[in-house]
Amino acid sequence: MIGAGSWGTALAATAARAGARTTIWGRSRQVVDEINKAHTNAVFLPDCELPCNLIATSDIKLALRDADAVMIVVPSRAIRSVSAQVAAHIPKGVPVAVCAKGIEADTGLLMTQVAETELVDHPVGVISGPTFARETALGHPTAVVSAFPFSYADRLTPDESPAVRFAMTLSTEAFRAYVSDDLVGVEIGGAVKNVVAIACGMMQGVGFAENTRAALITRGIDEMMVLAEKLGGRRETVAGLSGVGDLTLTCSSPTSRNMSLGLQLGQGIARDACFEGRPIVVEGEANARSITDLARRLGVTMPICEAVRRILYEGADIEKTFAALWSRPIEAEPSAMDLSYSHPAQQAMIGRVSNTIS
């Protein structure tokens, strides 16, 4: 397990409880020593007891020695550099599961695609789903998706495929893994939901309630599906755990760092003062830009993600931006009806501006 943050530690604990010989690598010697001696990780998972058979190290070469499988659980911006380090220490053919959610800035690559550029001789997949690390570590029932490409040989003997092997390795009485071959659908769900969660937090922060959140979640699902399909993913994947499931969880609780950021910004707290000034990594913050960059390149319309981008990076006012979002042209649902009418509120707004100018 490469990464001893909250999610990496929770996944390592799950694998160890499932009976796998598990080693977790972390940069912090303090965290590593605490996992080995006290079987806790107070920095990232306070008040969670870890299995005694979980071994921690700050030596990445030692962590990867004799590994049959690797999981990379670091922030999305570190996936490329960490994947290169992993590639230097594991034999050809060892499967690698990426457990980060996002789209790389500039390249528009999904996290598994980034990892594949460094891990050229390894099967690369993703493990994703609606998961809060603390709840997983405490043993609350949790479900994820293990997604890898399925070769012809994998379809003949699926129990030997990386996706199934990871699912079996992690599964316990409380942790259930499903299997997929749709990496695009799984990863787009995991990336876009973070941005929609920021939007939901903003709306709650400025004082709106459940109607607003339900609308944002539902239309956020549509944005996920359209982008996933454009990239070759499947709508049914987005409708599963890694899409709708993860979106529902992340948009429903300030336990989510993404929703929490939006909530604080909506309350008027300056960005550098959010999280009491602590340097908390919020994946949706960077993804708001990388996702919309990719969508623009593909000609995909993502109004919610665009609204979050304008607020985060262009200084747009939250209430005015979402008022404009709500007064976009009236469309059909489903989009196959292909209808569009000017929204009365937008027409009234234009009229007010014209009168002011004249």
Side-chain angles (χ1 to χ4, degrees):
M1 193 71 61
I2 304 302
S6 57
W7 186 224
T9 303
L11 280 173
T14 300
R17 287 171 183 148
R21 177 180 55 85
T22 307
T23 303
I24 185 169
W25 170 83
R27 297 183 186 277
S28 168
R29 178 59 64 90
Q30 175 187 344
V31 168
V32 165
D33 288 345
E34 183 186 346
I35 291 173
N36 286 330
K37 295 175 182 177
H39 310 298
T40 57
N41 184 344
V43 174
F44 295 104
L45 280 178
D47 303 319
C48 290
E49 185 176 347
L50 303 176
C52 296
N53 60 329
L54 175 60
I55 299 169
T57 179
S58 56
D59 183 339
I60 196 167
K61 183 177 180 180
L62 179 63
L64 294 167
R65 187 173 64 189
D66 302 324
D68 296 315
V70 178
M71 300 174 72
I72 300 178
V73 199
V74 297
S76 58
R77 64 173 183 263
I79 288 295
R80 185 177 293 277
S81 61
V82 170
S83 295
Q85 293 179 63
V86 170
H89 298 298
I90 57 174
K92 178 180 178 180
V94 171
V96 178
V98 176
C99 306
K101 300 170 182 178
I103 294 175
E104 188 176 49
D106 301 325
T107 67
L109 295 176
L110 301 173
M111 291 296 99
T112 57
Q113 294 168 337
V114 173
E116 283 172 346
T117 63
E118 307 296 335
L119 294 155
V120 293
D121 295 319
H122 303 273
V124 176
V126 60
I127 292 174
S128 186
T131 52
F132 286 149
R134 178 176 173 78
E135 294 184 14
T136 302
L138 290 172
H140 293 295
T142 298
V144 299
V145 178
S146 170
F148 276 77
F150 267 68
S151 66
Y152 180 73
D154 289 333
R155 297 187 186 280
L156 290 177
T157 54
D159 56 320
E160 297 178 11
S161 68
V164 173
R165 289 175 61 201
F166 269 105
M168 295 298 291
T169 297
L170 291 170
S171 290
T172 68
E173 290 181 355
F175 194 92
R176 179 178 177 84
Y178 290 79
V179 174
S180 175
D181 62 352
D182 182 11
L183 277 72
V184 170
V186 169
E187 290 195 82
I188 288 297
V192 176
K193 63 93 182 179
N194 286 330
V195 184
V196 178
I198 293 176
C200 288
M202 288 175 174
M203 287 294 87
Q204 183 173 326
V206 299
F208 295 110
E210 304 304 323
N211 288 358
T212 313
R213 183 170 62 187
L216 287 172
I217 289 174
T218 306
R219 297 310 302 170
I221 292 168
D222 186 71
E223 292 190 18
M224 283 183 182
M225 287 182 170
V226 172
L227 184 60
E229 278 193 310
K230 189 72 172 182
L231 291 168
R234 297 194 292 267
R235 293 177 74 90
E236 66 201 67
T237 302
V238 177
L241 286 166
S242 59
V244 172
D246 207 355
L247 181 69
T248 302
L249 179 69
T250 310
C251 294
S252 301
S253 171
T255 300
S256 158
R257 286 173 291 181
N258 294 283
M259 186 177 180
S260 181
L261 173 64
L263 180 64
Q264 293 171 82
L265 294 174
Q267 292 170 339
I269 299 172
R271 177 61 186 96
D272 58 3
C274 290
F275 304 104
E276 299 178 338
R278 290 173 290 138
I280 302 295
V281 175
V282 180
E283 295 285 18
E285 195 169 14
N287 290 337
R289 178 177 280 163
S290 59
I291 287 168
T292 49
D293 280 345
L294 177 60
R296 292 172 183 181
R297 190 184 312 168
L298 296 171
V300 172
T301 303
M302 302 184 73
I304 297 172
C305 292
E306 288 284 357
V308 173
R309 176 179 179 148
R310 288 195 296 275
I311 293 164
L312 292 178
Y313 294 106
E314 299 170 20
D317 178 80
I318 292 178
E319 294 191 52
K320 291 180 180 178
T321 300
F322 280 94
L325 179 65
W326 245 251
S327 59
R328 293 176 65 251
I330 293 172
E331 301 166 300
E333 192 181 59
S335 57
M337 289 182 67
D338 194 23
L339 298 176
S340 181
Y341 298 96
S342 295
H343 195 289
Q346 183 64 32
Q347 292 175 324
M349 224 181 296
I350 293 170
R352 287 195 296 272
V353 172
S354 299
N355 291 334
T356 301
I357 294 173
S358 60

